[in-house]
Amino acid sequence: MAIDPTFPDPRSLLPADRPIQLLDADGTFTEDPDWPIDLDDAQLAELYRLMVMARQIDAQAITLQRQGQLGVYASLRGQEAAQIGTAFALAAQDFVFPSYREMGVALVRGVDPADLLHVFRGTWLGAHDPAKHRFALITISIATQALHAAGFAMGAKLDGSDSCAVAYMGDGATSEGDAHEAFNFASVFGAPCVFVVQNNQYAISVPLTRQTKAPTIAHKGIGYGMPGYRCDGNDVLGTYAVMRQALRHAREGNGPVLIEAVTYRMEAHTTADDPTRYREDTELEQWRARDPITRLEKFLRDRELVDDEVVETVAQAAKAEAQSVRAALYDAPHGDPMELFSHVYAEPTQQLRDQHELLQAELQGQDA
Amino acid sequence: MGAVTLAGALNRALHDAMDADDRVVIFGEDVAELGGVFRVTDRLKERFGEDRCFDTPLAESGIVGTAIGMAMYGYRPVVELQFDGFTYPAFEQITSHLAKMPNRSRGTVQLPVVVRIPFGGGIGAVEHHSESPEALYAHTAGLKIVAPSTPSDAYALLRASISSPDPVLFFEPKRRYWTKEDVELPVTTEPLGEAVVRREGTTATLISYGPTVATCLEAADAAAEEGWDLQVIDVRCLVPLDIATLVDAVEGTGRAIVVHEASVFGGMGAEIAAELLERAFYSLEAPVLRVGGFDIPYPASQLEHYHLPDIDRILDAVERSLAF
């Protein structure tokens, strides 16, 4: 694969001193000529609708877990702007490689949230067709999907296509070797790839200060010769603007971009976690004041794009959607055990055919 | 007919596969400019250009992980991990993703990726360059594991591996890279998962794959002088394993010895012995014996000949089998 044999000017790669922010915690909008947005009123309202829906389905998923309908669930609460703002900037031909916390991104891509939650129910290991919405299966082993994104982007470059690959990951993932290798491969090959790191401050219980000594995660970009953009991850207009620019940079053949969206995981790591053992309520309160949905709602009200009636309509629609997700999952049948052997290889081997028969006999024995 | 080396046959197979399908791309460490440290990818970059054969940063997980992403895009990557002992950085990508993604996607994602791995000892190399880790990968559901022993098989099985919709780990017997065979390439590609009888015999069956098939054939020649008529079977594919051919053989001879370089504990020999015990119990005149490397970390090169199974160790096992 052709490479650019020059080394970049380091001054072009460092993040700004302060996180990029267009919408502050009070919902006040400040235009930034370096980070333009192109959203019309309908799109602004759509961002709001998606964020409210993500939060509502997220809450429903936690409820379903508490009721024994899901085995476990990893909440995105607090990260709606980081996910939906960045995903909203994607083009149809782009391909997303998510971790396991990206239900907000999935919603923007049109993936049925019930399909994602079937994975947490344990119905199947994966329940949606990645090609259909250009959204890969969720990846649980940390940072490994970053390499799939880099490889996909290398393929896009070889093919002369204008699609970008996007890997989503958390702050903890940046400590993994695969994140390093993915950043490096994408940059060496100038592949159209964007790495979106949602810095939600914790990897389960371990805080950012134990993950890295880099000034910020965005500063890591310079080590790979790619720009690092750092933004307020709770500002959906900021995350959108930053992603828009990153995708343009990658699509125009300039190689990958590393985005750090500074946010906070408002819930436990997963429903199996107890965050009271490692963080204080006061910290949670500080972040609650920076809530991504509250500030967008304030902004939209100030612009008279939403009022009480619209807010209520959006809330009701989100509740209805969450209810339909609940209906799809509640007591949903588990996978067919006879399918366990069907997809290990394109054609089952003799050994798998034998084991298929063995399981069938075991099940018939139970029925008899 | 011309004499073709095993490395040359692999090179020809890569060449012909790239010629036949422009989605086949080759990458890894030193594969392009250098042509591979064993020259298996020699001149492919010149012939097909740097988009089809290129060098990567030195990172094995990166090589396999990006191969997965490129396969998801629609390419058919054939990547090289330079030595057996350097596959471990890629272990997670191989076992957690390459092996599993087709299954976890319920067949909607296929990963036609071939990972080429020069394996085994006997070349006087430094540490980490002589290992036989095939059982680690054979134990992982979702991978096909291929290990040819002859130039014509190297060609045929590599073509079949590249055509396979499933991910394949292709173990190349590095000390046999320069073995020659009079053969006209291309030979017909055979499906993966069929063992072959290399030598007919009636006294006992030697079962092997990769670099020790030749050792078994030499042992059979030596045994003929003793009046023993040894059958030799080349397994060729460890996954899927052609148990039917092995059972047939043992039903004929009643005695089997599995030979490989890898440590015997938990190795392929244990698996094959267990299968034969289950399926050919009443045909067996003696327990299935295993001949392999000791259960030690691969030794320093000046001591490796003590570790590697040789003709004497194989014939001693035949004698023990016959003594039952």
Side-chain angles (χ1 to χ4, degrees):
Chain A
M1 194 177 308
I3 56 159
D4 170 3
T6 64
F7 291 104
D9 179 349
R11 287 167 299 186
S12 65
L13 304 176
L14 284 172
D17 291 339
R18 291 168 43 102
I20 294 139
Q21 185 192 62
L22 303 181
L23 204 57
D24 71 15
D26 298 325
T28 306
F29 177 73
T30 309
E31 202 174 327
D32 185 336
D34 291 335
W35 304 95
I37 55 173
D38 59 345
L39 299 168
D40 61 25
D41 291 350
Q43 289 171 311
L44 291 169
E46 176 64 2
L47 283 173
Y48 176 71
R49 187 187 74 83
L50 286 163
M51 288 168 70
V52 172
M53 185 154 63
R55 181 164 295 183
Q56 195 67 46
I57 296 170
D58 187 77
Q60 180 59 246
I62 293 172
T63 304
L64 284 166
Q65 193 279 333
R66 298 281 184 251
Q67 294 170 340
Q69 292 290 318
L70 303 183
V72 69
Y73 175 68
S75 168
L76 66 93
R77 189 182 179 88
Q79 299 176 218
E80 294 88 350
Q83 294 194 10
I84 287 160
T86 51
F88 207 72
L90 293 167
Q93 71 271 23
D94 296 337
F95 206 110
V96 173
F97 293 83
S99 83
Y100 47 77
R101 203 185 294 282
E102 268 74 69
M103 204 246 290
V105 181
L107 280 179
V108 180
R109 296 303 277 178
V111 178
D112 183 345
D115 279 352
L116 282 194
L117 293 173
H118 269 301
V119 175
F120 291 108
R121 181 169 168 77
T123 314
W124 297 107
L125 297 169
H128 73 275
D129 177 359
K132 191 172 167 200
H133 299 286
R134 299 181 77 78
F135 185 88
L137 297 182
I138 68 166
T139 302
I140 293 173
S141 49
I142 303 298
T144 53
Q145 76 278 13
L147 277 168
H148 308 159
F152 189 96
M154 287 161 65
K157 186 186 169 188
L158 276 185
D159 193 34
S161 136
D162 68 346
S163 55
C164 290
V166 179
Y168 282 84
M169 69 191 91
D171 43 303
T174 64
S175 301
E176 290 276 9
D178 274 11
H180 157 73
E181 294 188 24
F183 298 164
N184 196 43
F185 270 62
S187 202
V188 165
F189 292 113
C193 193
V194 178
F195 301 102
V196 180
V197 177
Q198 294 170 78
N199 172 6
N200 70 11
Q201 313 299 329
Y202 289 93
I204 305 188
S205 67
V206 179
L208 184 66
T209 47
R210 280 190 186 272
Q211 295 296 343
T212 183
K213 201 67 181 170
T216 71
I217 287 170
H219 277 83
K220 292 190 175 200
I222 193 171
Y224 303 93
M226 69 173 153
Y229 299 164
R230 187 162 192 258
C231 65
D232 177 349
N234 286 14
D235 162 15
V236 73
L237 302 185
T239 58
Y240 172 79
V242 163
M243 185 66 166
R244 183 169 175 253
Q245 188 134 320
L247 287 165
R248 183 187 298 152
H249 176 97
R251 221 182 294 284
E252 287 175 356
N254 302 306
V257 176
L258 174 63
I259 291 176
E260 176 186 4
V262 182
T263 182
Y264 192 80
R265 192 193 76 213
M266 296 300 287
E267 278 289 338
H269 162 65
T270 68
T271 46
D273 177 34
D274 173 12
T276 63
R277 293 177 73 96
Y278 55 83
R279 66 185 190 186
E280 301 292 333
D281 279 349
T282 50
E283 188 178 280
L284 214 59
E285 285 310 313
Q286 286 167 11
W287 281 94
R288 195 165 283 134
R290 301 176 208 167
D291 185 79
I293 298 182
T294 311
R295 77 170 79 171
L296 180 63
E297 185 185 320
K298 171 82 168 31
F299 166 76
L300 294 174
R301 282 180 185 272
D302 289 350
R303 291 216 165 181
E304 298 183 348
L305 294 175
V306 306
D307 54 16
D308 286 349
E309 195 185 328
V310 173
V311 167
E312 181 58 22
T313 307
V314 168
Q316 288 306 324
K319 278 184 188 153
E321 179 65 24
Q323 278 304 317
S324 81
V325 167
R326 178 181 179 81
L329 286 157
Y330 202 91
D331 285 347
H334 298 157
D336 173 7
M338 299 324 295
E339 198 182 327
L340 289 172
F341 308 96
S342 305
H343 313 298
V344 184
Y345 299 98
E347 292 290 328
T349 59
Q350 184 59 50
Q351 285 81 350
L352 289 174
R353 287 196 294 270
D354 292 348
Q355 290 166 20
H356 181 279
E357 272 180 37
L358 179 70
L359 180 58
Q360 201 149 39
E362 285 178 7
L363 295 176
Q364 280 162 359
Q366 283 170 12
D367 289 344
Chain B
M1 299 278 265
V4 181
T5 63
L6 196 146
L10 292 168
N11 180 259
R12 177 69 188 276
L14 293 170
H15 175 280
D16 291 357
M18 293 174 89
D19 218 21
D21 185 348
D22 61 13
R23 295 171 302 165
V24 175
V25 292
I26 289 175
F27 55 96
E29 295 154 11
D30 306 299
V31 297
E33 293 299 330
L34 184 66
V37 294
F38 293 106
R39 307 294 183 264
V40 171
T41 55
D42 195 29
R43 294 187 306 276
L44 295 176
K45 186 203 155 201
E46 284 87 332
R47 168 68 178 79
F48 294 99
E50 65 177 339
D51 278 356
R52 303 282 307 281
C53 177
F54 55 91
D55 291 322
T56 67
L58 205 170
E60 290 78 10
S61 188
I63 291 166
V64 177
T66 55
I68 290 168
M70 285 184 78
M72 289 178 75
Y73 188 89
Y75 285 93
R76 302 182 82 89
V78 182
V79 299
E80 176 175 309
L81 298 182
Q82 204 163 69
F83 284 92
D84 34 58
F86 303 148
T87 63
Y88 312 127
F91 196 80
E92 182 176 29
Q93 287 291 346
I94 292 171
T95 57
S96 292
H97 293 301
L98 189 61
K100 293 185 172 73
M101 205 181 293
N103 180 64
R104 61 196 292 269
S105 70
R106 298 175 76 191
T108 59
V109 177
Q110 288 198 328
L111 295 179
V113 174
V114 177
V115 181
R116 294 182 35 247
I117 303 167
F119 88 119
I123 63 162
V126 293
E127 214 178 354
H128 314 299
H129 290 69
S130 301
E131 302 188 4
S132 297
E134 64 274 14
L136 294 177
Y137 299 104
H139 193 65
T140 301
L143 301 171
K144 288 192 170 169
I145 311 288
V146 179
S149 74
T150 68
S152 53
D153 264 8
Y155 180 90
L157 296 175
L158 185 52
R159 290 297 306 271
S161 298
I162 295 169
S163 300
S164 167
D166 302 308
V168 176
L169 265 56
F170 194 87
F171 284 90
E172 300 172 359
K174 72 168 88 82
R175 71 170 144 133
R176 308 293 183 195
Y177 269 143
W178 314 116
T179 299
K180 285 184 179 163
E181 180 185 345
D182 277 331
V183 59
E184 195 67 47
L185 296 178
V187 291
T188 312
T189 300
E190 299 185 44
L192 300 179
E194 291 184 6
V196 64
V197 179
R198 289 275 174 228
R199 187 187 201 279
E200 292 293 356
T202 54
T203 310
T205 303
L206 302 179
I207 299 167
S208 192
Y209 54 85
T212 44
V213 172
T215 318
C216 288
L217 289 168
E218 289 163 19
D221 286 345
E225 295 166 18
E226 308 282 327
W228 294 340
D229 182 20
L230 297 181
Q231 184 186 39
V232 177
I233 295 188
D234 183 351
V235 176
R236 304 199 289 185
C237 290
L238 309 184
V239 181
L241 187 61
D242 179 5
I243 296 162
T245 296
L246 303 181
V247 168
D248 276 355
V250 170
E251 282 173 353
T253 63
R255 298 173 200 279
I257 295 110
V258 191
V259 181
H260 52 54
E261 284 189 21
S263 301
V264 293
F265 185 89
M268 284 305 301
E271 178 60 30
I272 291 170
E275 287 285 354
L276 291 175
L277 198 62
E278 277 187 41
R279 293 166 194 265
F281 184 71
Y282 292 108
S283 303
L284 286 168
E285 302 287 340
V288 180
L289 299 179
R290 292 169 293 161
V291 171
F294 300 121
D295 296 323
I296 57 172
Y298 198 86
S301 60
Q302 295 300 333
L303 301 172
E304 70 179 333
H305 62 283
Y306 295 109
H307 173 69
L308 292 171
D310 58 6
I311 294 172
D312 287 341
R313 196 178 296 165
I314 293 168
L315 294 182
D316 285 351
V318 173
E319 198 169 345
R320 273 189 288 138
S321 176
L322 290 169
F324 272 96

